[in-house]
Amino acid sequence: MKSETLIPIVYQDQEIILVNKRSGLASQGGAGVGRSVDSDLALQIGQKVYLCHRLDKETSGLLLCA
């Protein structure tokens, strides 16, 4: 994955990952969604990611994943 497409990880331990979601990136994949935090982050860290909540596509901010 290219460094400009990496999702910034703010905090990570064995149970949670806190990321800084940028505006314009969907939180969750689905029909018609090309890229999303859950799929991109899973590729980035090499394991399945579960969202604890979602942010609107156009909203930036901290997103908690497990």
Side-chain angles (χ1 to χ4, degrees):
M1 183 171 277
K2 296 178 183 179
S3 63
E4 65 268 9
T5 61
L6 291 178
I7 298 171
I9 297 174
V10 176
Y11 176 82
Q12 180 177 7
D13 65 21
Q14 294 293 334
E15 298 175 358
I16 65 169
I17 303 169
L18 185 63
V19 298
N20 191 9
K21 186 188 99 53
R22 63 177 167 80
S23 176
L25 180 62
S27 292
Q28 188 172 29
V33 177
R35 297 191 51 220
S36 63
V37 172
D38 60 349
S39 62
D40 286 6
L41 188 59
L43 289 173
Q44 182 175 322
I45 66 171
Q47 64 185 39
K48 179 112 173 107
V49 172
Y50 300 92
L51 300 176
C52 294
H53 65 101
R54 294 179 296 192
L55 295 174
D56 290 340
K57 182 176 181 179
E58 296 309 321
T59 303
S60 63
L62 297 177
L63 184 64
L64 186 62
C65 305

